[in-house]
Amino acid sequence: MFSKIVVAAALTLSAPLAFADHMGPNGDKFYDEAAHFTNACSQGPCKAPYSAMLVYSQNPRLNKLSPQQTDMLRAVANYQAQIWGDTILEGDFHSAGRTRLDSAVVYFKGDRVAGFKIRYSEKAWNTSECAFDGSKDSLKYCKEGRISEESYVSPDFQTFFTDEDRQAGFSLGLN
C-alpha cells in the first residue's frame, strides 16, 4: 500500500513536466510577464524595471544557480525537447536524444526574480543529403550539427513554454 502511495505521489509531482509547454498556477500571469520582460530587454540593455543576468552557460562554463535550480531547468529542457519527435524530427533530421542545457538567463523585475529563459539543444544530423538507413554507422556521411530551442520558465518552475521566435531549428557544426 505504501509503495502505491509513493508511486502515485511521484507521478503527481512529475506530471507538470510530462508534456512540452505547461501552464501551472498563475501561468497566464507569467505568460504576460514573459512578454513584458522580452519587450523590455529586446534591444540592448533592459529597460527599467527589468534586468537580466546570464546565470548558466555551457560554453564558457558558468553556473550561478543552485544544484536544485540547475536540475529543474535541465528537467524542463529535457521535457520541452520531447515534442521534437512530432515536429523537427519528423523531417530530415535525426538527434542523439541527449538534451543539453546550453544557457539560462534570469530576468528580474526590480529585485524580484521574474523568470528564466533557457536554451537547450541536442546533437543532430541532417539526413536529407545522405544515405541514412536508421543505423548509427550511416550517420557518419550526414551533416552534423545541433537542434536547439529556447523556452521561458517561471520562477517556481511550474509554468514553461517555448519562445515562439526561437522554436527548434538545426544549425551545422555547433558543439
Side-chain angles (χ1 to χ4, degrees):
M1 177 68 162
F2 179 73
S3 63
K4 288 182 182 179
I5 293 171
V6 170
V7 170
L11 289 173
T12 301
L13 291 174
S14 65
L17 300 175
F19 300 101
D21 290 0
H22 181 264
M23 294 297 255
N26 298 312
D28 291 336
K29 183 178 176 185
F30 174 69
Y31 190 86
D32 292 341
E33 186 77 58
H36 291 299
F37 62 71
T38 298
N39 289 332
C41 300
S42 64
Q43 297 175 352
C46 296
K47 297 177 184 107
Y50 293 97
S51 61
M53 179 176 37
L54 180 67
V55 291
Y56 182 92
S57 179
Q58 188 69 20
N59 189 18
R61 286 275 189 201
L62 168 72
N63 191 352
K64 295 181 179 182
L65 299 168
S66 71
Q68 295 81 10
Q69 290 172 316
T70 303
D71 289 346
M72 290 300 293
L73 292 176
R74 283 183 178 146
V76 169
N78 183 57
Y79 284 102
Q80 288 290 83
Q82 298 309 304
I83 197 71
W84 295 349
D86 290 331
T87 59
I88 193 167
L89 294 176
E90 290 256 325
D92 294 326
F93 301 100
H94 177 78
S95 76
R98 291 182 303 275
T99 307
R100 177 179 81 187
L101 179 63
D102 293 323
S103 65
V105 172
V106 63
Y107 288 92
F108 296 93
K109 184 175 184 181
D111 293 336
R112 178 182 61 82
V113 172
F116 298 90
K117 186 166 187 185
I118 61 172
R119 181 178 179 87
Y120 44 95
S121 66
E122 290 185 9
K123 183 177 181 179
W125 296 264
N126 182 334
T127 59
S128 65
E129 298 175 9
C130 62
F132 178 60
D133 62 8
S135 71
K136 188 175 180 178
D137 286 339
S138 65
L139 287 172
K140 64 184 167 189
Y141 304 107
C142 303
K143 292 181 180 175
E144 187 176 318
R146 295 194 77 77
I147 294 173
S148 61
E149 187 171 63
E150 295 182 12
S151 287
Y152 294 97
V153 183
S154 65
D156 65 1
F157 307 100
Q158 296 298 306
T159 298
F160 42 88
F161 53 89
T162 304
D163 179 349
E164 295 296 323
D165 295 326
R166 305 281 188 278
Q167 290 182 336
F170 177 82
S171 298
L172 289 173
L174 301 175
N175 295 342

